[in-house]
Amino acid sequence: MANKSIDHAITATSLTSAASDPTHAGILSFMRRKYTKNLKGVDAVVWGVPFDAATSNRPGARFGPQAIRRASAIFDNDPQYPFQRDLFSQMATIDYGDCLLDYGNHQKTPQTIEREAMKILKSGAYLLTLGGDHYVTYPMLKAHAAQHGPLALVQFDAHQDTWPDEKGRIDHGSFVGRAAREGLIDIERSIQIGIRTHAPEDCGIRIVHGYELEEMRAEEIAQAIIRHVGSRPAYLTFDIDCLDPAFAPGTGTPVAGGPSSAKILSVLGKLGALHIAGSDVVEVAPAYDHADLTAIAGSTIAMYMLGLRAGWLAERRADRSGRTFSRNRFNSMPD
């Protein structure tokens, strides 16, 4: 037991140290990362936004960040698959905790989320957000666009979220349309993957429908995304209902006919060529889950997002130092 840790989330003395807490015990930050609001020297931040007042069907995604953190405990000790290494040995990562929101005054929610996100981004850290319903992506896009300009939206989802709405309305089904109208996203470089519902408009965004995914290999899907986005900084948002309900039943608006978690994880693992400026995982609603299936899927997707960032960061550092970078060190999936 001499080399074992406990409650690493608060006892860690280094932001790059590995945790060795028992999987079934200890304080549950995301992947046992240190809980702190100190952004000094931080490369990546994991942050929860427990908001679900914008849902149009079943509520409960406010408990998503808790569920994702709990499920992430299975990743804390071993080299993370398929990246073949401890993602945090060279990427200082913290769990920033949750956004404090007034549940009785939802009109203040967008500004509160955007303001806190801006504070994190100004530190230079990469931000991975755990939702919450999909509306939270709208203020996140505002904060990221202020840093990077219009972003290529890479959206894994069963829904287009382009429904028309009124100014000031808070709705998880219209945020993409609003982001397109406000110039937060570059519609020529944005793409939606897994769509299997209809909306009145597509805003000019490319769609890869659910039935198309069934006919495509993971490599084909990934290359379609990479070609479409190009070199534009991208925001990667993953609505857990992109997956078939067999793999993610714990969500507010499940839609049958979606892809498996295995296929989509394979796609994500092949997106290392993208410049992903920010990301989120949303719509995990644990009250409708079974055996943590959805929470496990959500936490795995979030871990892959950090894995992609670790590879991107290592490549940039290698370029600056003149060293040779091997992408396979971070990704065991063949190109």
Side-chain angles (χ1 to χ4, degrees), residues 182-259:
E182 294 181 8
L184 303 178
I185 60 175
D186 181 348
I187 59 174
E188 297 295 328
R189 294 294 182 180
S190 295
I191 185 169
Q192 298 174 320
I193 304 98
I195 302 301
R196 47 194 190 276
T197 54
H198 293 296
E201 57 180 325
D202 59 22
C203 297
I205 297 170
R206 182 177 176 184
I207 296 174
V208 180
H209 292 278
Y211 64 83
E212 294 179 274
L213 294 185
E214 289 302 300
E215 305 299 325
M216 299 171 70
R217 295 181 295 107
E219 175 69 19
E220 294 174 306
I221 300 166
Q223 286 304 312
I225 295 169
I226 291 168
R227 285 194 301 269
H228 191 74
V229 171
S231 60
R232 170 71 70 180
Y235 188 90
L236 175 58
T237 181
F238 199 106
D239 187 325
I240 205 68
D241 69 27
C242 176
L243 302 179
D244 190 86
F247 304 94
T251 191
T253 312
V255 181

Side-chain angles (χ1 to χ4, degrees), residues 48-66 99 101-104 106 109-110 113 130-137 170-173 250-253 282-288:
V49 181
F51 177 78
D52 65 2
T55 53
S56 54
N57 193 26
R58 306 186 301 194
R62 67 180 62 187
F63 298 106
Q66 289 181 351
C99 185
L101 299 170
D102 183 352
Y103 67 87
H106 298 313
T109 294
I113 297 171
L130 311 177
D133 67 43
H134 217 159
Y135 177 80
V136 307
T137 301
I170 296 177
D171 188 331
H172 71 161
T251 191
T253 312
V282 298
E283 297 285 1
V284 173
Y288 314 107

Side-chain angles (χ1 to χ4, degrees), residues 271-293:
L271 297 181
L274 294 182
H275 174 195
I276 301 173
S279 59
D280 63 49
V281 181
V282 298
E283 297 285 1
V284 173
Y288 314 107
D289 210 357
H290 174 71
D292 281 346
L293 289 176

Side-chain angles (χ1 to χ4, degrees), residues 39 45 47 49 96 99 110-127 129 138-149 184:
L39 295 165
V45 171
W47 182 45
V49 181
Y96 196 76
C99 185
Q111 295 79 17
T112 301
I113 297 171
E114 182 183 353
R115 182 171 59 249
E116 193 73 11
M118 290 279 290
K119 176 183 176 182
I120 296 169
L121 293 173
K122 284 179 180 178
S123 75
Y126 175 84
L127 180 54
T129 303
Y138 172 64
M140 298 305 300
L141 285 172
K142 292 183 73 174
H144 282 80
Q147 292 278 324
H148 301 282
L184 303 178

